[in-house]
Amino acid sequence: MPSNNNNQINIPESKNAMYSFKHEVANELGINLKQGYNGDLTSRDAGSIGGMMVKKMIEAQEQQMAGSASRSMNR
């Protein structure tokens, strides 16, 4: 069965930012990430990091959208 890996970064310049963001979130959660490969990380910890990253990105987008909506209503 062929592998359908769609885990590609669409904006290459964002790779370093996402890497830093991942380490920042892991640090906030008290999870120790090493530079490079982290194959010894538990699924639970990896899921916690990814879940928190998504939560923070959604919150940031909601704040941005709320700001855009209030600006357009004030015109």
Side-chain angles (χ1 to χ4, degrees):
M1 180 187 258
S3 173
N4 291 332
N5 185 352
N6 292 325
N7 294 335
Q8 297 176 354
I9 294 180
N10 294 325
I11 303 170
E13 296 82 16
S14 69
K15 185 175 184 175
N16 288 336
M18 291 300 289
Y19 184 81
S20 295
F21 183 44
K22 176 174 63 175
H23 280 267
E24 175 186 321
V25 169
N27 190 38
E28 287 177 13
L29 295 172
I31 299 169
N32 186 25
L33 284 185
K34 302 178 295 247
Q35 297 288 351
Y37 183 68
N38 283 283
D40 58 341
L41 196 62
T42 66
S43 296
R44 181 184 195 116
D45 285 346
S48 295
I49 294 168
M52 184 61 74
M53 288 175 70
V54 170
K55 181 178 177 182
K56 286 178 172 254
M57 287 186 278
I58 290 171
E59 287 173 353
Q61 185 62 35
E62 286 175 340
Q63 288 177 355
Q64 183 180 4
M65 290 170 62
S68 296
S70 67
R71 282 192 298 273
S72 27
M73 292 176 80
N74 292 330
R75 289 182 181 182

